Amino acid sequence: MIRLAVCGAAGRMGRLILAMAYAQRGHFEVRAAVDVPGNPLLGSPIGSFSEYKNTDVRLTDSLKSVLPDCDVVIDFSASEQSVKTAQECAQAGVAVVIGTTGLNAGQVALLDEAAKSVPVVYAPNMSVGVNLLFKLAGMIAQMLDEDYDVEIVEAHHRFKKDAPSGTACRLAEIIAQARGVSLETHGNYGRKGMVGERKAGEIGIHTVRMGNVVGDHTVTFANLGERIELTHKAQSRETFALGALKAARFIADKKSGRYDMQDVLGLR
Ligand code: NAD
């Protein structure tokens, strides 16, 4: 039985993770649920805002105080908090799964620092399908030369705060790595005005925000004669919550180090 804490528990993903953990209660027991100071739900039993039933666990704003009672923390909150979560877990010797997106390079380096002490899974997208997309996009990028233009288009719901999505950024990184180029020099984030002809080897990354789209990603490889398109469409957030719980089960007995969903799903 994995003793679980969820950080960002009152959010869209947090509530679903609680619900899915309850559905898998043979494997998980939620010992703590944490959200930001000032959240109106603080102090409420988690069963009042999620499908996690039969518990007296209440929403708290102090992760540190609950860590001694936990084996794994799952964090889907905000970038600054996720770094803090990883640091507190490292001090307490608790494994951590970070699903939050929009972390900058410095923040990712701090996750790596925490991963020297505890196992850390950090993945911008926890769905099985997207992780397969990562794998396939990398393989295709390796097989095709720069005559094939690469364009990545992502769409998400109107509430999403960061852009491009962490998934689109990861796709671009994987393709750049496969081509042996840097995203700094080859990434092109949106186009406007008299930008001139497309440069060979560019990796285009474009963002759409609309309605309640859960998450769509398309990678296109195109030359003058043909186009290959790889598309993934998430139909519901449950797929991410299930992936997060898979990751929690994976790291519960792992050594310290940084892992991602390719490790969790055995796609490495
Ligand atoms: P949300 O805004 O609905 O929920 C975030 C929750 O975190 C809120 O309840 C908020 O109060 C809480 N929070 C903010 N700051 C906090 C702090 N300092 N301490 C504790 N809690 C804090 O957002 P969401 O849709 O649930 O997404 C959360 C994050 O997860 C985003 O970064 C999103 O992009 C990412 N996400 C990742 C995946 C994935 O598969 N990795 C999938 C979906 C969303």
Side-chain angles (χ1 to χ4, degrees), residues 7-14 34-37 39 76-78 81 98-102 123-127 157 160-162 237 240:
C7 184
R12 283 177 288 260
M13 284 303 303
V34 183
D35 211 281
V36 71
N39 188 299
F76 281 69
S77 59
Q81 175 57 37
I98 306 280
T100 307
T101 59
N125 194 309
M126 304 244 167
S127 91
H157 52 89
K160 186 164 176 62
K161 297 183 184 83
D162 53 314
R237 287 186 181 82
F240 309 127

Side-chain angles (χ1 to χ4, degrees), residues 128-143 170-171 174-175 178 221 230 262 266-268:
V128 173
V130 156
N131 284 280
L132 202 54
L133 177 69
F134 286 158
K135 180 92 182 169
L136 296 172
M139 284 166 67
I140 293 176
Q142 232 160 23
M143 289 174 202
R170 185 73 195 115
L171 274 167
I174 288 169
I175 290 164
F221 298 85
L230 294 177
Q262 302 287 305
L267 293 172
R268 183 70 64 200

Side-chain angles (χ1 to χ4, degrees), residues 78-84 86-87 98 100-114 120 122 258:
S79 47
E80 275 178 24
Q81 175 57 37
S82 296
V83 171
K84 200 167 153 223
Q87 289 170 332
I98 306 280
T100 307
T101 59
L103 275 66
N104 61 36
Q107 290 172 321
V108 175
L110 293 172
L111 296 189
D112 282 331
E113 199 53 41
V120 176
Y122 165 57
R258 180 125 89 74

